[in-house]
């Protein structure tokens, strides 16, 4: 790739800055960490690896990066692409082979959504492997739009107010997941992937499923953004500015014992004595 144009340089700087801010805000990476970068072959994980490699060079702390790809044995998966790319840029890596494709195809009826089971199987395998290689952090390529989409999916279909946190400890306490692209928007990542000409590997297991709930939510958010530019940024800020007393979760706020404060200043003043 040749010299970057002004706009391309701004794009690169913006992604690096936003990732750096997210890492700092949530203390995602600490001195001495071994960060397992989960590389799927998609635009998001390539961008995440690229940005983390830059930050590794300029950060005031030392941390190790190792890329990990999970070969799920999907028919036609180009096994040579990721090793060739990682060898070319000099990044240490592991390829974890696990035939989750056959399990998903066996368990999920034809035409039904495979994403949920596929992601659970993949996540469990990667958690275990991170433990095996002594990784202290596991980096996933989810971005701001993914986080917002998950929030609305959980609200519309699951009846819960939750999204993807930028930093998460696994239920068993053995893994810490980080999302360095949490502040980055998908449009920038798409543009950067084209700019860098990453060798994208499409997912042929679920990529053809057009009626996914996530696709519907994504289109809804994109339409909102078209009509009111900046709305997605405002909604993301809302996830960072939660007021439990203004919701209705009795586990987060003690509504039952909410009473008048007898020591509060009276609302009305005696104007005759002013």
């Amino acid at each position: 790739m040749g010299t970057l144009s002004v706009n391309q340089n701004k794009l690169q700087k913006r992604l690096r800055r936003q990732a750096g801010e997210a890492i700092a805000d949530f203390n995602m990476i600490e001195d001495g960490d071994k960060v397992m970068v989960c590389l799927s072959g998609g635009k998001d994980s390539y961008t995440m690896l690229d940005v983390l490699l830059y930050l590794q060079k300029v950060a005031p702390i030392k941390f190790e990066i190792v890329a990990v790809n999970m070969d799920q044995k999907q028919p036609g998966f180009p096994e040579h692409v990721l090793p060739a790319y990682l060898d070319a840029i000099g990044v240490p890596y592991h390829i974890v082979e696990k035939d989750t494709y056959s399990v998903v195809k066996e368990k999920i009826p034809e035409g039904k959504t495979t994403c949920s089971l596929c992601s659970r199987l993949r996540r469990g395998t990667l958690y275990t492997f991170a433990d095996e290689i002594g990784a202290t952090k596991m980096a996933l390529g989810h971005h701001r739009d993914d986080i917002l989409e998950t929030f609305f999916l959980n609200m519309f279909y699951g009846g819960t107010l939750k999204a993807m946190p930028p930093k998460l400890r696994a239920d068993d306490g053995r893994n810490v997941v980080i999302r360095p692209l949490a502040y980055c928007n998908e449009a920038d990542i798409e543009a950067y992937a084209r700019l860098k000409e990453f060798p994208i590997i499409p997912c042929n297991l679920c990529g053809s499923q057009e009626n996914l709930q996530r696709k519907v939510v994504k289109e809804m958010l994109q339409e909102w953004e078209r009509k009111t530019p900046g709305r997605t940024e405002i909604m993301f800020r809302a996830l960072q500015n939660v007021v439990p007393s203004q919701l209705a979760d009795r586990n987060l706020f003690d509504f039952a014992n909410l009473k008048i404060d007898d020591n509060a200043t009276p609302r009305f003043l005696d104007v005759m004595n002013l």
Side-chain angles (χ1 to χ4, degrees), residues 48 92 107 120 193 197 208 242 254 268:
M48 175 178 63
K107 300 292 184 183
R120 286 201 305 273
E197 298 180 341
S208 61
V242 179
D254 187 8
F268 303 105

PDB file of all heavy atoms in Angstrom, residues 48 92 107 120 193 197 208 242 254 268:
ATOM      1  N   MET A  48      -8.786  -5.069  14.037  1.00  0.00           N
ATOM      2  CA  MET A  48      -8.379  -5.119  15.436  1.00  0.00           C
ATOM      3  C   MET A  48      -6.915  -5.520  15.569  1.00  0.00           C
ATOM      4  O   MET A  48      -6.151  -4.888  16.314  1.00  0.00           O
ATOM      5  CB  MET A  48      -9.265  -6.100  16.214  1.00  0.00           C
ATOM      6  CG  MET A  48      -8.823  -6.306  17.654  1.00  0.00           C
ATOM      7  SD  MET A  48      -9.906  -7.412  18.591  1.00  0.00           S
ATOM      8  CE  MET A  48      -9.700  -8.958  17.679  1.00  0.00           C
ATOM      9  N   PRO A  92       3.036 -14.157  15.504  1.00  0.00           N
ATOM     10  CA  PRO A  92       2.895 -15.553  15.945  1.00  0.00           C
ATOM     11  C   PRO A  92       1.425 -15.939  16.011  1.00  0.00           C
ATOM     12  O   PRO A  92       0.574 -15.114  16.363  1.00  0.00           O
ATOM     13  CB  PRO A  92       3.541 -15.560  17.333  1.00  0.00           C
ATOM     14  CG  PRO A  92       3.506 -14.140  17.793  1.00  0.00           C
ATOM     15  CD  PRO A  92       3.620 -13.298  16.557  1.00  0.00           C
ATOM     16  N   LYS A 107     -27.418 -30.377  14.504  1.00  0.00           N
ATOM     17  CA  LYS A 107     -28.339 -29.968  15.559  1.00  0.00           C
ATOM     18  C   LYS A 107     -29.404 -28.980  15.087  1.00  0.00           C
ATOM     19  O   LYS A 107     -30.512 -28.953  15.634  1.00  0.00           O
ATOM     20  CB  LYS A 107     -27.565 -29.343  16.727  1.00  0.00           C
ATOM     21  CG  LYS A 107     -26.547 -30.263  17.392  1.00  0.00           C
ATOM     22  CD  LYS A 107     -27.222 -31.402  18.136  1.00  0.00           C
ATOM     23  CE  LYS A 107     -26.196 -32.250  18.877  1.00  0.00           C
ATOM     24  NZ  LYS A 107     -26.834 -33.413  19.565  1.00  0.00           N
ATOM     25  N   ARG A 120     -21.612 -20.199  20.431  1.00  0.00           N
ATOM     26  CA  ARG A 120     -21.359 -20.851  21.729  1.00  0.00           C
ATOM     27  C   ARG A 120     -20.245 -21.885  21.622  1.00  0.00           C
ATOM     28  O   ARG A 120     -19.364 -21.957  22.481  1.00  0.00           O
ATOM     29  CB  ARG A 120     -22.641 -21.506  22.257  1.00  0.00           C
ATOM     30  CG  ARG A 120     -23.678 -20.545  22.789  1.00  0.00           C
ATOM     31  CD  ARG A 120     -24.649 -21.232  23.745  1.00  0.00           C
ATOM     32  NE  ARG A 120     -25.285 -22.396  23.153  1.00  0.00           N
ATOM     33  CZ  ARG A 120     -26.403 -22.367  22.430  1.00  0.00           C
ATOM     34  NH1 ARG A 120     -26.987 -21.209  22.179  1.00  0.00           N
ATOM     35  NH2 ARG A 120     -26.935 -23.480  21.963  1.00  0.00           N
ATOM     36  N   ALA A 193     -10.667  -1.677   6.060  1.00  0.00           N
ATOM     37  CA  ALA A 193     -10.393  -3.007   5.511  1.00  0.00           C
ATOM     38  C   ALA A 193     -10.158  -2.934   4.005  1.00  0.00           C
ATOM     39  O   ALA A 193      -9.285  -3.618   3.465  1.00  0.00           O
ATOM     40  CB  ALA A 193     -11.542  -3.957   5.836  1.00  0.00           C
ATOM     41  N   GLU A 197      -6.653  -3.647   2.177  1.00  0.00           N
ATOM     42  CA  GLU A 197      -6.792  -4.825   1.306  1.00  0.00           C
ATOM     43  C   GLU A 197      -6.563  -6.129   2.071  1.00  0.00           C
ATOM     44  O   GLU A 197      -5.833  -7.022   1.644  1.00  0.00           O
ATOM     45  CB  GLU A 197      -5.832  -4.722   0.110  1.00  0.00           C
ATOM     46  CG  GLU A 197      -6.102  -3.520  -0.779  1.00  0.00           C
ATOM     47  CD  GLU A 197      -5.158  -3.423  -1.962  1.00  0.00           C
ATOM     48  OE1 GLU A 197      -4.078  -4.066  -1.923  1.00  0.00           O
ATOM     49  OE2 GLU A 197      -5.492  -2.720  -2.926  1.00  0.00           O
ATOM     50  N   SER A 208     -25.414 -16.701   4.489  1.00  0.00           N
ATOM     51  CA  SER A 208     -26.531 -16.713   3.538  1.00  0.00           C
ATOM     52  C   SER A 208     -27.887 -16.611   4.224  1.00  0.00           C
ATOM     53  O   SER A 208     -28.919 -16.614   3.572  1.00  0.00           O
ATOM     54  CB  SER A 208     -26.481 -18.011   2.716  1.00  0.00           C
ATOM     55  OG  SER A 208     -26.617 -19.133   3.564  1.00  0.00           O
ATOM     56  N   VAL A 242     -25.979   5.105  32.621  1.00  0.00           N
ATOM     57  CA  VAL A 242     -27.168   4.408  33.114  1.00  0.00           C
ATOM     58  C   VAL A 242     -27.596   4.994  34.469  1.00  0.00           C
ATOM     59  O   VAL A 242     -26.760   5.226  35.349  1.00  0.00           O
ATOM     60  CB  VAL A 242     -26.883   2.900  33.261  1.00  0.00           C
ATOM     61  CG1 VAL A 242     -28.115   2.177  33.799  1.00  0.00           C
ATOM     62  CG2 VAL A 242     -26.477   2.307  31.914  1.00  0.00           C
ATOM     63  N   ASP A 254     -33.141   0.182  45.255  1.00  0.00           N
ATOM     64  CA  ASP A 254     -34.025  -0.206  46.360  1.00  0.00           C
ATOM     65  C   ASP A 254     -35.289   0.658  46.350  1.00  0.00           C
ATOM     66  O   ASP A 254     -35.444   1.595  47.131  1.00  0.00           O
ATOM     67  CB  ASP A 254     -33.275  -0.054  47.686  1.00  0.00           C
ATOM     68  CG  ASP A 254     -34.076  -0.596  48.860  1.00  0.00           C
ATOM     69  OD1 ASP A 254     -35.143  -1.224  48.626  1.00  0.00           O
ATOM     70  OD2 ASP A 254     -33.643  -0.398  50.012  1.00  0.00           O
ATOM     71  N   PHE A 268     -40.787  25.036  49.564  1.00  0.00           N
ATOM     72  CA  PHE A 268     -41.350  26.389  49.583  1.00  0.00           C
ATOM     73  C   PHE A 268     -40.726  27.228  50.687  1.00  0.00           C
ATOM     74  O   PHE A 268     -40.566  26.779  51.822  1.00  0.00           O
ATOM     75  CB  PHE A 268     -42.863  26.332  49.775  1.00  0.00           C
ATOM     76  CG  PHE A 268     -43.552  25.516  48.720  1.00  0.00           C
ATOM     77  CD1 PHE A 268     -44.037  24.243  49.005  1.00  0.00           C
ATOM     78  CD2 PHE A 268     -43.713  26.015  47.428  1.00  0.00           C
ATOM     79  CE1 PHE A 268     -44.661  23.491  48.026  1.00  0.00           C
ATOM     80  CE2 PHE A 268     -44.335  25.273  46.456  1.00  0.00           C
ATOM     81  CZ  PHE A 268     -44.815  24.001  46.749  1.00  0.00           C
TER      82      PHE A 268
END
